[in-house]
């Protein structure tokens, strides 16, 4: 009976994860369309370098407050009130959090705008010339307005997740990129690169509007409250500060990469950014989806002190994460140049830009599974109300990142920065596993390692097969045509998919059986 209950919980995580995977995939495709429009119109140069650098500042605020510290601290506390049937107190907590965060964010936006030239010139892009620096400052000031809307979206998302309602946020993530794309296209001729900065703000508004009806239907009505003595609010703050520091450290690692890349020849900041975005695609689609789906359930069973169920849930989530992310590494390594050429090479995005971006992507790819693991393992700590350990381990990993950046940037340029980031992800993952095992709950490391190794074997054979196929295609058709580039990539992906699942079947991987059962069940319904 216990095993059956665990399987049901695992099935719920898989079901939610599949919803989030679909929404994230659509959102990323739209984001890719936005990238294509930007690079084909403006090229890979200091204009797009400025846009990417500018986007990193409000994106940093969003990841820290919404995607990270705020939601990660809020969900366990809010869920604990629901588990104890204290919904009224949960609403009061939400009111306090929204009111206080609104005030703090207004102050942060005002101060941030005042010191933007110094922040960008010193921290973000010290290698930019005066014109590029001013463009970056102007774009950042526009994009800063998104942070307020994204903050409200993050709190709303946390509330809905606590009630196991995931679809409104999934739709919102799609509409976010729809807004950027539509506004950018409509205003590009008049405002140039600034149009896409306006689009970022418009997309953030759509994200919030997509979730608001579901929140009202749940019964929530906002009432301003500055009751900072509320016990739940105190718990959120105590949990949030270490998460904030930990995620800040993680993002600082990317800022360090960007800082160093800004001293390299023009266009390499964009190459680094494009490579990092492609590398983050499977992390966002698979690892984040699994982590987000499991988090409310981990928080619930942790609040009830059902640690056996917690262990099983975490083990299943980690196994599924490795099963989906490890082949992404092999796929990107085998298909880096064909993918980048198909996605970006047009207009002012030349073959040399393709080579620079593909090289960066290969180096980033080694960190997909390891950085993806932190999306699940960090939330496992947060569900246990331990937010300090991930922060400390992130600090150690950042130090490793900086050391390898300094060692590798000379011989490998932007590829060295990407590889240093990947190495730091490996260190962080290993440390998280060590310390989660030292908790009073013991995740099944042998089972996870078995899945990891089987995935590596299957993915390696998959990658070799895909590499052979794309090279055979390239020798027989004209690769200067976009249709032929698409044929090459599709052929490589099809072979990769078939080979990986055949290998997973031969290796009798439990994860393949789980997803097959879930897909079969949905198709029969």
């Amino acid at each position: 009976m216990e095993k059956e209950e665990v399987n049901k919980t695992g099935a719920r995580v898989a079901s939610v994860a599949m919803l989030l995977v679909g929404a994230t995939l659509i959102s990323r495709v739209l984001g890719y369309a936005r990238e294509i429009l930007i690079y084909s119109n403006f090229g890979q140069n200091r204009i797009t370098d400025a846009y990417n650098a500018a986007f990193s500042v409000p994106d940093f605020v969003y990841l820290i407050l919404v995607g990270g510290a705020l939601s990660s601290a809020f969900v366990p506390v809010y869920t604990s009130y629901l588990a104890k049937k204290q919904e009224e107190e949960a609403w009061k907590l939400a009111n306090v959090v929204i009111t206080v965060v609104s005030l703090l964010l207004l102050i942060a936006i005002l101060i941030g705008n005042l010191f933007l030239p110094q922040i960008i010139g010193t921290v973000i892009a010290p290698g930019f010339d005066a014109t590029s620096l001013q463009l970056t400052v102007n774009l950042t000031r526009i994009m800063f307005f998104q942070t307020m809307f994204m903050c409200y979206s993050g709190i709303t998302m946390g509330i809905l997740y606590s009630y196991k309602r995931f679809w409104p946020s999934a739709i919102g993530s799609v509409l976010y990129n729809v807004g950027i794309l539509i506004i950018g296209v409509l205003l590009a001729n008049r405002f140039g690169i600034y149009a896409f900065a306006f689009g970022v703000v418009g997309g953030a508004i759509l994200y919030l509007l997509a979730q608001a009806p579901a929140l009202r239907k749940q019964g929530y009505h906002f009432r301003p409250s500055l009751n900072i003595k509320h016990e739940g609010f105190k718990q959120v703050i105590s949990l949030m500060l270490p998460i904030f520091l930990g995620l800040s450290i993680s993002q600082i690692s990317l800022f360090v990469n960007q800082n160093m890349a800004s001293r390299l020849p023009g266009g390499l900041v964009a190459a680094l950014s494009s490579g990092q975005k492609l590398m983050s695609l499977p992390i966002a689609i698979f690892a984040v989806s699994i982590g987000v789906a499991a988090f409310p359930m981990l928080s619930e069973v942790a609040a009830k002190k059902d640690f056996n169920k917690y262990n099983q849930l975490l083990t299943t989530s980690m196994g599924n994460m490795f099963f989906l992310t490890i082949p992404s590494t092999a796929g990107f390594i085998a298909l880096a140049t064909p993918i980048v050429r198909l996605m970006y090479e047009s207009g002012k995005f030349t073959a040399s830009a393709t080579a620079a971006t593909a090289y960066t992507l290969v180096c980033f790819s080694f960190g997909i599974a390891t950085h993806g693991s932190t999306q699940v393992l960090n939330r496992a700590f947060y569900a246990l109300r331990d937010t300090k350990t991930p922060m400390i381990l992130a600090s150690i990993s950042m130090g490793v990142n900086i050391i390898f950046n300094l060692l590798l940037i000379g011989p490998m340029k932007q590829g060295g920065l990407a590889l240093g980031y990947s190495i730091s992800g490996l260190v962080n993952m290993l440390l998280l596993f060590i310390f989660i095992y030292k908790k009073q709950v013991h995740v099944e490391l042998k089972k996870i390692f078995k899945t990891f190794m089987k995935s590596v074997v299957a993915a390696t054979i998959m990658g070799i097969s895909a590499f052979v196929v794309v090279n055979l295609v390239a020798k027989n058709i004209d690769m200067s045509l976009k249709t032929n580039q698409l044929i090459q990539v599709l052929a490589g992906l099809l072979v990769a998919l078939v080979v990986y699942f055949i290998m997973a079947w031969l290796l009798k991987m439990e994860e393949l059986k789980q997803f097959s059962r879930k897909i079969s069940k949905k198709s029969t319904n």
Side-chain angles (χ1 to χ4, degrees):
M1 187 68 182
E2 183 179 337
K3 185 176 181 180
E4 182 182 349
E5 181 64 25
V6 170
N7 289 335
K8 287 182 180 179
T9 304
R12 288 171 63 197
V13 173
S15 179
V16 173
M18 288 177 68
L19 166 68
L20 297 177
V21 163
T24 305
L25 185 59
I26 295 171
S27 179
R28 292 294 173 136
V29 169
L30 292 171
Y32 158 66
R34 180 192 71 218
E35 296 288 314
I36 288 296
L37 283 171
I38 291 174
Y39 285 124
S40 62
N41 281 279
F42 303 103
Q44 186 164 281
N45 49 43
R46 282 306 190 203
I47 294 176
T48 47
D49 282 352
Y51 177 84
N52 285 309
F55 192 84
S56 66
V57 178
D59 197 41
F60 169 76
V61 175
Y62 165 70
L63 287 172
I64 296 302
L65 287 179
V66 181
L70 184 57
S71 61
S72 296
F74 181 79
V75 170
V77 178
Y78 195 93
T79 302
S80 68
Y81 280 117
L82 296 183
K84 293 182 288 187
K85 311 297 183 184
Q86 297 177 349
E87 188 176 39
E88 188 63 32
E89 285 302 310
W91 292 135
K92 290 180 181 178
L93 169 62
N95 289 332
V96 178
V97 169
I98 292 175
T99 305
V100 173
V101 170
S102 296
L103 294 174
L104 293 177
L105 203 54
L106 279 172
I107 296 171
I109 290 173
L110 291 174
I111 295 175
N113 272 283
L114 287 174
F115 295 99
L116 266 182
Q118 292 80 4
I119 294 171
I120 293 174
T122 304
V123 179
I124 307 300
F128 281 9
D129 56 56
T131 302
S132 301
L133 182 63
Q134 187 57 53
L135 176 60
T136 306
V137 170
N138 294 341
L139 290 170
T140 305
R141 282 185 169 140
I142 295 171
M143 293 190 214
F144 244 137
F145 287 101
Q146 76 143 342
T147 55
M148 183 66 76
F149 299 105
M150 286 305 236
C151 178
Y152 295 142
S153 293
I155 299 171
T156 301
M157 179 175 65
I159 295 173
L160 294 176
Y161 281 2
S162 298
Y163 286 101
K164 311 298 189 303
R165 300 191 66 182
F166 297 91
W167 65 265
S169 300
I171 294 174
S173 67
V174 173
L175 292 180
Y176 173 65
N177 275 303
V178 168
I180 298 175
L181 189 62
I182 292 176
I183 294 173
V185 169
L186 292 177
L187 301 181
N189 289 336
R190 183 175 181 182
F191 295 102
I193 195 67
Y194 287 97
F196 290 92
F198 295 137
V200 168
V201 179
I205 295 173
L206 289 176
Y207 197 165
L208 176 60
L209 292 177
Q211 299 181 90
L215 186 63
R216 288 198 297 269
K217 188 175 180 180
Q218 198 64 48
Y220 176 67
H221 298 283
F222 173 65
R223 294 180 178 83
S225 174
L226 285 172
N227 182 21
I228 58 176
K229 294 183 179 181
H230 188 281
E231 185 59 34
F233 181 75
K234 292 179 182 178
Q235 293 176 26
V236 169
I237 295 300
S238 65
L239 292 173
M240 182 177 173
L241 290 177
I243 301 174
F244 177 84
L245 293 174
L247 289 172
S248 296
I249 290 166
S250 177
Q251 290 302 303
I252 287 170
S253 295
L254 292 175
F255 284 157
V256 168
N257 284 8
Q258 188 168 269
N259 184 303
M260 293 184 176
S262 72
R263 305 172 193 275
L264 296 172
L268 293 187
V269 171
L272 190 73
S273 176
S274 297
Q276 192 271 329
K277 287 176 182 176
L278 285 171
M279 166 261 196
S280 67
L281 184 62
I283 295 177
I285 292 176
F286 301 125
V288 173
S289 295
I290 292 171
V292 168
F295 187 36
M297 300 176 201
L298 285 169
S299 299
E300 182 179 5
V301 296
K304 296 177 180 178
K305 300 190 182 301
D306 187 350
F307 295 122
N308 183 57
K309 194 171 182 180
Y310 174 95
N311 293 339
Q312 295 293 333
L313 186 55
L314 179 55
T315 299
T316 300
S317 299
M318 287 301 300
N320 289 336
M321 190 279 303
F322 282 134
F323 176 72
L324 294 173
T325 56
I326 289 175
S328 301
T329 294
F332 273 145
I333 292 173
L335 306 175
T337 298
I339 288 173
V340 173
R341 179 169 53 207
L342 172 65
M343 293 179 67
Y344 293 118
E345 192 173 306
S346 65
K348 295 180 181 180
F349 196 102
T350 63
S352 61
T354 293
T357 304
Y359 166 56
T360 309
L361 175 59
V362 169
C363 296
F364 266 129
S365 295
F366 291 102
I368 291 174
T370 54
H371 280 287
S373 69
T374 64
Q375 299 295 329
V376 180
L377 289 172
N378 280 345
R379 287 177 170 86
F381 278 97
Y382 301 157
L384 295 171
R385 306 290 187 93
D386 179 2
T387 57
K388 293 180 181 178
T389 300
M391 176 199 69
I392 295 170
L393 301 184
S395 302
I396 296 172
S397 300
M398 185 184 72
V400 171
N401 187 25
I402 293 173
I403 291 171
F404 277 96
N405 280 352
L406 294 172
L407 291 174
L408 299 175
I409 188 172
M412 298 179 65
K413 295 186 178 178
Q414 82 277 13
L417 300 178
L419 187 57
Y421 184 71
S422 296
I423 293 171
S424 71
L426 174 62
V427 172
N428 197 17
M429 181 191 75
L430 293 175
L431 291 173
L432 285 167
F433 266 127
I434 291 170
F435 280 85
I436 195 72
Y437 194 74
K438 287 184 176 181
K439 291 284 186 182
Q440 61 177 332
V441 293
H442 293 113
V443 64
E444 297 179 47
L445 292 179
K446 290 183 179 179
K447 187 175 181 180
I448 293 174
F449 183 71
K450 185 178 179 181
T451 299
F452 179 88
M453 292 308 301
K454 285 185 176 182
S455 298
V456 168
V457 171
T460 300
I461 297 173
M462 177 205 83
I464 294 171
S465 303
F467 183 78
V468 170
V469 168
V470 295
N471 279 279
L472 285 174
V473 172
K475 290 178 180 179
N476 291 283
I477 60 176
D478 181 7
M479 295 311 303
S480 65
L481 301 176
K482 277 294 175 188
T483 52
N484 289 346
Q485 292 173 16
L486 178 60
I487 290 171
Q488 183 193 36
V489 171
L490 289 177
L493 290 175
L494 178 61
V495 169
L497 188 65
V498 171
V499 170
Y500 185 71
F501 281 107
I502 289 176
M503 290 303 304
W505 177 72
L506 291 173
L507 293 169
K508 299 180 180 179
M509 296 187 70
E510 180 62 32
E511 291 73 20
L512 176 62
K513 297 177 183 178
Q514 291 175 5
F515 281 101
S516 297
R517 285 195 296 265
K518 197 65 190 175
I519 293 172
S520 298
K521 185 177 179 180
K522 283 186 174 292
S523 63
T524 55
N525 292 339

